[in-house]
Amino acid sequence: METTVHLLRHGEVHNPEGILYGRRPGYNLSELGLQMAERVADRIGGQDITHVISSPLERAQQTAGPLAKALGVDISLDERVLESENLFVGKSFKDGLGPLKDPKVWPKLINPLKPSWGEPYLEIVARMMDAIHDARDLARGHEAVIVSHQLPIWTTRLHIEGRSFLHDPRRRQCALCSLTSLHFVDDEFVALSYSEPAGDMLPAKDKYAPFSAGDAEES
């Protein structure tokens, strides 16, 4: 029996100050982000999706909303697919490196494999895989969508593909409103596919940014 679990990253966030917002409340989709969510609903709203699961954060729920409406299903919230923890949450990266230029924080960057500045990758993977397996079981023989965030989705992909967690955040293939789709036969993972239903709506410079800074002024 074939089942697909789609990991959908949220849309563009209104964040003109370029703050690393992490799990902070109050960060909502920008106007473009709302349009991106509608685009996703238009593109996959006719598929055999029986469950829509979302991170509790506003931007994720707002991304899930149009799709759930198109499908006629409720949104289930799951804290296991939340954004990852990070020591630099609340800091502005509007000028690029932001607080990383301060030598006082460099000791926090000593171990990129863990990483030393945030939630351990292994813990992110463990909670994400638990949520994915539960979604697979709920949607058995159909499809499910989990709306999550860039680092949890990308870390999960690295784990599934047997790749190192050591990576350049600017090279994550996980654009806003992208779909990282996990394909299962019964309980066995068999393939991964990737698509960008709203990829043409994003400026090239923002496509793979580590976090969304929608509505920021051009530097």
Side-chain angles (χ1 to χ4, degrees):
M1 184 177 294
E2 297 181 3
T3 307
T4 301
V5 178
H6 304 281
L7 305 180
L8 171 62
R9 187 185 174 197
H10 61 77
E12 185 188 77
V13 177
H14 175 71
N15 182 22
E17 297 303 319
I19 301 295
L20 182 63
Y21 38 73
R23 296 183 178 182
R24 284 189 164 193
Y27 283 87
N28 299 285
L29 294 186
S30 65
E31 286 301 315
L32 176 58
L34 293 170
Q35 294 170 23
M36 294 172 74
E38 293 287 351
R39 168 72 72 81
V40 172
D42 289 343
R43 290 289 176 88
I44 67 171
Q47 294 180 198
D48 185 24
I49 298 167
T50 58
H51 291 78
V52 175
I53 299 153
S54 176
S55 157
L57 294 173
E58 294 101 320
R59 58 190 183 272
Q61 293 193 57
Q62 291 168 348
T63 303
L67 178 60
K69 182 178 179 181
L71 294 166
V73 302
D74 294 329
I75 300 170
S76 299
L77 302 184
D78 192 335
E79 292 190 353
R80 294 175 296 180
V81 301
L82 269 168
E83 179 62 282
S84 56
E85 301 274 13
N86 192 299
L87 294 176
F88 298 106
V89 165
K91 305 296 185 182
S92 175
F93 286 76
K94 192 173 183 179
D95 66 347
L97 292 175
L100 303 184
K101 294 183 291 187
D102 183 354
K104 293 179 181 178
V105 309
W106 292 352
K108 298 176 181 177
L109 308 177
I110 194 169
N111 186 357
L113 281 170
K114 187 178 179 181
S116 50
W117 59 85
E119 182 179 6
Y121 292 136
L122 288 174
E123 292 182 10
I124 298 172
V125 167
R127 60 180 173 84
M128 286 291 291
M129 291 305 299
D130 281 348
I132 289 165
H133 290 154
D134 284 351
R136 176 202 61 198
D137 293 343
L138 285 170
R140 185 79 65 178
H142 305 279
E143 302 175 43
V145 171
I146 296 176
V147 186
S148 186
H149 308 269
Q150 189 193 60
L151 183 57
I153 294 172
W154 182 246
T155 305
T156 299
R157 178 172 176 176
L158 293 177
H159 165 74
I160 287 173
E161 295 183 335
R163 297 158 62 185
S164 171
F165 289 135
L166 184 64
H167 67 279
D168 182 341
R170 299 165 298 182
R171 299 179 66 85
R172 296 171 183 157
Q173 190 183 39
C174 189
L176 293 165
C177 273
S178 63
L179 289 164
T180 299
S181 301
L182 311 179
H183 305 275
F184 296 87
V185 173
D186 297 327
D187 290 347
E188 183 182 359
F189 168 75
V190 294
L192 182 148
S193 59
Y194 176 81
S195 61
E196 297 178 0
D200 62 302
M201 302 176 74
L202 274 173
K205 65 180 180 62
D206 296 335
K207 201 165 194 180
Y208 300 122
F211 66 97
S212 180
D215 302 322
E217 294 182 2
E218 294 288 340
S219 57

